[in-house]
Amino acid sequence: MNPGLLRHRITFQRKTQVQDNEGNWVEGYEDAFTVWGAIEGVGSMRNPEVTVAGALGVRAPRKITIRANKQLSHNMRAICDGRIFNVLDFGYAKNSKSYFEIICDEVGING
């Protein structure tokens, strides 16, 4: 992996319970960590990553690549330049124990 390709500043958020103005507990998100990463569309339908995402009903799967980070978990989402991505699955990149490839879906792109 060429570290120069990690050109997007990506913030990962975890789910949490927060109190609104009326004192009710509602689900929200808090920042967990921010890293440099790469965001790609998953373009080929023969690509196994698309098949996995397609089985989950994802319309626009994306792959985010970051340096391996022990804080990453499946119940997180990623924010980059106002775009929101829900984490579906992740694992080490091919031939590397230094980078994670994260399969996610982009939220709110269809209106």
Side-chain angles (χ1 to χ4, degrees):
M1 176 75 191
N2 178 356
L5 298 175
L6 307 179
R7 58 188 177 90
H8 297 283
R9 201 70 178 144
I10 304 170
T11 299
F12 285 85
Q13 298 179 324
R14 69 174 62 88
K15 285 184 182 180
T16 186
Q17 293 289 321
V18 295
Q19 221 168 4
D20 65 12
N21 294 337
E22 298 175 3
N24 299 316
W25 289 97
V26 294
E27 188 173 279
Y29 287 89
E30 67 181 3
D31 292 353
F33 60 95
T34 301
V35 295
W36 290 100
I39 301 173
E40 305 173 45
V42 182
S44 170
M45 290 307 288
R46 291 179 288 186
N47 188 329
E49 295 162 339
V50 173
T51 304
V52 169
L56 298 171
V58 176
R59 294 188 188 111
R62 302 284 187 249
K63 179 173 73 173
I64 296 176
T65 304
I66 64 170
R67 285 188 174 91
N69 190 311
K70 293 181 181 183
Q71 297 180 64
L72 184 63
S73 65
H74 288 89
N75 64 344
M76 292 185 137
R77 70 180 188 179
I79 308 288
C80 180
D81 296 328
R83 297 165 63 191
I84 301 172
F85 305 90
N86 287 330
V87 173
L88 299 175
D89 199 11
F90 63 90
Y92 287 107
K94 294 176 186 170
N95 302 321
S96 175
K97 293 290 184 189
S98 300
Y99 293 92
F100 281 150
E101 288 182 341
I102 306 160
I103 301 301
C104 37
D105 64 346
E106 189 167 357
V107 177
I109 61 170
N110 293 329

mmCIF file of all heavy atoms in Angstrom, residues 87-104:
data_model
loop_
_atom_site.group_PDB
_atom_site.id
_atom_site.type_symbol
_atom_site.label_atom_id
_atom_site.label_comp_id
_atom_site.label_asym_id
_atom_site.label_seq_id
_atom_site.Cartn_x
_atom_site.Cartn_y
_atom_site.Cartn_z
ATOM 1 N N VAL A 87 -20.066 1.427 8.709
ATOM 2 C CA VAL A 87 -19.124 0.309 8.619
ATOM 3 C C VAL A 87 -19.912 -1.002 8.612
ATOM 4 O O VAL A 87 -20.730 -1.244 9.499
ATOM 5 C CB VAL A 87 -18.135 0.324 9.808
ATOM 6 C CG1 VAL A 87 -17.270 -0.930 9.820
ATOM 7 C CG2 VAL A 87 -17.271 1.581 9.764
ATOM 8 N N LEU A 88 -19.671 -1.828 7.586
ATOM 9 C CA LEU A 88 -20.316 -3.137 7.502
ATOM 10 C C LEU A 88 -19.371 -4.238 7.942
ATOM 11 O O LEU A 88 -19.738 -5.118 8.709
ATOM 12 C CB LEU A 88 -20.783 -3.413 6.068
ATOM 13 C CG LEU A 88 -21.807 -2.441 5.502
ATOM 14 C CD1 LEU A 88 -22.091 -2.766 4.052
ATOM 15 C CD2 LEU A 88 -23.086 -2.481 6.326
ATOM 16 N N ASP A 89 -18.144 -4.192 7.441
ATOM 17 C CA ASP A 89 -17.165 -5.227 7.768
ATOM 18 C C ASP A 89 -15.778 -4.682 7.473
ATOM 19 O O ASP A 89 -15.623 -3.734 6.707
ATOM 20 C CB ASP A 89 -17.424 -6.486 6.937
ATOM 21 C CG ASP A 89 -16.767 -7.727 7.522
ATOM 22 O OD1 ASP A 89 -16.283 -7.662 8.677
ATOM 23 O OD2 ASP A 89 -16.732 -8.765 6.826
ATOM 24 N N PHE A 90 -14.766 -5.292 8.074
ATOM 25 C CA PHE A 90 -13.388 -4.874 7.803
ATOM 26 C C PHE A 90 -12.436 -6.016 8.092
ATOM 27 O O PHE A 90 -12.771 -6.970 8.797
ATOM 28 C CB PHE A 90 -13.008 -3.629 8.620
ATOM 29 C CG PHE A 90 -13.031 -3.819 10.108
ATOM 30 C CD1 PHE A 90 -11.898 -4.240 10.783
ATOM 31 C CD2 PHE A 90 -14.180 -3.580 10.839
ATOM 32 C CE1 PHE A 90 -11.914 -4.414 12.160
ATOM 33 C CE2 PHE A 90 -14.214 -3.747 12.215
ATOM 34 C CZ PHE A 90 -13.076 -4.171 12.878
ATOM 35 N N GLY A 91 -11.271 -5.907 7.521
ATOM 36 C CA GLY A 91 -10.215 -6.890 7.742
ATOM 37 C C GLY A 91 -8.911 -6.333 7.200
ATOM 38 O O GLY A 91 -8.877 -5.256 6.603
ATOM 39 N N TYR A 92 -7.850 -7.093 7.415
ATOM 40 C CA TYR A 92 -6.550 -6.643 6.918
ATOM 41 C C TYR A 92 -6.550 -6.632 5.393
ATOM 42 O O TYR A 92 -7.152 -7.499 4.757
ATOM 43 C CB TYR A 92 -5.432 -7.553 7.428
ATOM 44 C CG TYR A 92 -5.121 -7.354 8.883
ATOM 45 C CD1 TYR A 92 -5.501 -8.299 9.825
ATOM 46 C CD2 TYR A 92 -4.460 -6.203 9.317
ATOM 47 C CE1 TYR A 92 -5.216 -8.115 11.166
ATOM 48 C CE2 TYR A 92 -4.175 -6.008 10.656
ATOM 49 C CZ TYR A 92 -4.559 -6.967 11.576
ATOM 50 O OH TYR A 92 -4.287 -6.770 12.904
ATOM 51 N N ALA A 93 -5.884 -5.655 4.823
ATOM 52 C CA ALA A 93 -5.728 -5.575 3.372
ATOM 53 C C ALA A 93 -4.895 -6.768 2.900
ATOM 54 O O ALA A 93 -4.124 -7.352 3.673
ATOM 55 C CB ALA A 93 -5.057 -4.262 2.992
ATOM 56 N N LYS A 94 -5.035 -7.105 1.636
ATOM 57 C CA LYS A 94 -4.292 -8.239 1.076
ATOM 58 C C LYS A 94 -2.792 -8.033 1.254
ATOM 59 O O LYS A 94 -2.278 -6.952 0.993
ATOM 60 C CB LYS A 94 -4.621 -8.393 -0.401
ATOM 61 C CG LYS A 94 -6.047 -8.777 -0.648
ATOM 62 C CD LYS A 94 -6.356 -8.817 -2.112
ATOM 63 C CE LYS A 94 -7.843 -9.074 -2.294
ATOM 64 N NZ LYS A 94 -8.282 -8.905 -3.655
ATOM 65 N N ASN A 95 -2.129 -9.064 1.707
ATOM 66 C CA ASN A 95 -0.673 -9.066 1.879
ATOM 67 C C ASN A 95 -0.174 -7.984 2.829
ATOM 68 O O ASN A 95 0.932 -7.474 2.676
ATOM 69 C CB ASN A 95 0.033 -8.917 0.518
ATOM 70 C CG ASN A 95 -0.359 -10.017 -0.436
ATOM 71 O OD1 ASN A 95 -0.507 -11.167 -0.038
ATOM 72 N ND2 ASN A 95 -0.548 -9.655 -1.683
ATOM 73 N N SER A 96 -1.002 -7.596 3.799
ATOM 74 C CA SER A 96 -0.581 -6.540 4.723
ATOM 75 C C SER A 96 -1.244 -6.722 6.082
ATOM 76 O O SER A 96 -2.422 -7.008 6.163
ATOM 77 C CB SER A 96 -0.971 -5.165 4.176
ATOM 78 O OG SER A 96 -0.678 -4.159 5.119
ATOM 79 N N LYS A 97 -0.470 -6.535 7.120
ATOM 80 C CA LYS A 97 -1.010 -6.507 8.476
ATOM 81 C C LYS A 97 -0.954 -5.082 9.022
ATOM 82 O O LYS A 97 -1.166 -4.852 10.198
ATOM 83 C CB LYS A 97 -0.211 -7.443 9.395
ATOM 84 C CG LYS A 97 -0.358 -8.899 9.038
ATOM 85 C CD LYS A 97 -1.734 -9.396 9.356
ATOM 86 C CE LYS A 97 -1.838 -10.886 9.091
ATOM 87 N NZ LYS A 97 -3.174 -11.381 9.180
ATOM 88 N N SER A 98 -0.665 -4.126 8.146
ATOM 89 C CA SER A 98 -0.548 -2.726 8.558
ATOM 90 C C SER A 98 -1.754 -1.888 8.162
ATOM 91 O O SER A 98 -1.919 -0.779 8.656
ATOM 92 C CB SER A 98 0.706 -2.099 7.935
ATOM 93 O OG SER A 98 1.858 -2.786 8.350
ATOM 94 N N TYR A 99 -2.594 -2.403 7.247
ATOM 95 C CA TYR A 99 -3.727 -1.628 6.742
ATOM 96 C C TYR A 99 -5.019 -2.430 6.856
ATOM 97 O O TYR A 99 -5.025 -3.637 6.672
ATOM 98 C CB TYR A 99 -3.502 -1.246 5.272
ATOM 99 C CG TYR A 99 -2.366 -0.277 5.085
ATOM 100 C CD1 TYR A 99 -1.078 -0.737 4.837
ATOM 101 C CD2 TYR A 99 -2.572 1.088 5.186
ATOM 102 C CE1 TYR A 99 -0.023 0.145 4.686
ATOM 103 C CE2 TYR A 99 -1.527 1.975 5.031
ATOM 104 C CZ TYR A 99 -0.258 1.503 4.782
ATOM 105 O OH TYR A 99 0.783 2.385 4.644
ATOM 106 N N PHE A 100 -6.121 -1.717 7.149
ATOM 107 C CA PHE A 100 -7.458 -2.306 7.126
ATOM 108 C C PHE A 100 -8.175 -1.860 5.860
ATOM 109 O O PHE A 100 -8.066 -0.698 5.459
ATOM 110 C CB PHE A 100 -8.309 -1.822 8.307
ATOM 111 C CG PHE A 100 -8.030 -2.500 9.616
ATOM 112 C CD1 PHE A 100 -8.219 -1.806 10.795
ATOM 113 C CD2 PHE A 100 -7.624 -3.814 9.689
ATOM 114 C CE1 PHE A 100 -7.986 -2.408 12.023
ATOM 115 C CE2 PHE A 100 -7.393 -4.428 10.915
ATOM 116 C CZ PHE A 100 -7.582 -3.722 12.078
ATOM 117 N N GLU A 101 -8.930 -2.770 5.257
ATOM 118 C CA GLU A 101 -9.884 -2.436 4.213
ATOM 119 C C GLU A 101 -11.257 -2.559 4.850
ATOM 120 O O GLU A 101 -11.597 -3.594 5.419
ATOM 121 C CB GLU A 101 -9.753 -3.374 3.020
ATOM 122 C CG GLU A 101 -8.493 -3.128 2.226
ATOM 123 C CD GLU A 101 -8.386 -4.023 1.004
ATOM 124 O OE1 GLU A 101 -9.078 -5.063 0.934
ATOM 125 O OE2 GLU A 101 -7.587 -3.678 0.123
ATOM 126 N N ILE A 102 -12.042 -1.496 4.768
ATOM 127 C CA ILE A 102 -13.343 -1.425 5.421
ATOM 128 C C ILE A 102 -14.423 -1.347 4.356
ATOM 129 O O ILE A 102 -14.395 -0.453 3.517
ATOM 130 C CB ILE A 102 -13.401 -0.173 6.339
ATOM 131 C CG1 ILE A 102 -12.232 -0.165 7.308
ATOM 132 C CG2 ILE A 102 -14.743 -0.103 7.048
ATOM 133 C CD1 ILE A 102 -11.933 1.196 7.878
ATOM 134 N N ILE A 103 -15.363 -2.277 4.384
ATOM 135 C CA ILE A 103 -16.494 -2.239 3.468
ATOM 136 C C ILE A 103 -17.622 -1.494 4.180
ATOM 137 O O ILE A 103 -17.970 -1.799 5.323
ATOM 138 C CB ILE A 103 -16.972 -3.664 3.093
ATOM 139 C CG1 ILE A 103 -15.821 -4.441 2.431
ATOM 140 C CG2 ILE A 103 -18.182 -3.598 2.174
ATOM 141 C CD1 ILE A 103 -15.279 -3.815 1.180
ATOM 142 N N CYS A 104 -18.178 -0.496 3.512
ATOM 143 C CA CYS A 104 -19.237 0.309 4.137
ATOM 144 C C CYS A 104 -20.236 0.754 3.066
ATOM 145 O O CYS A 104 -19.992 0.589 1.877
ATOM 146 C CB CYS A 104 -18.647 1.502 4.874
ATOM 147 S SG CYS A 104 -17.267 2.279 4.117
#
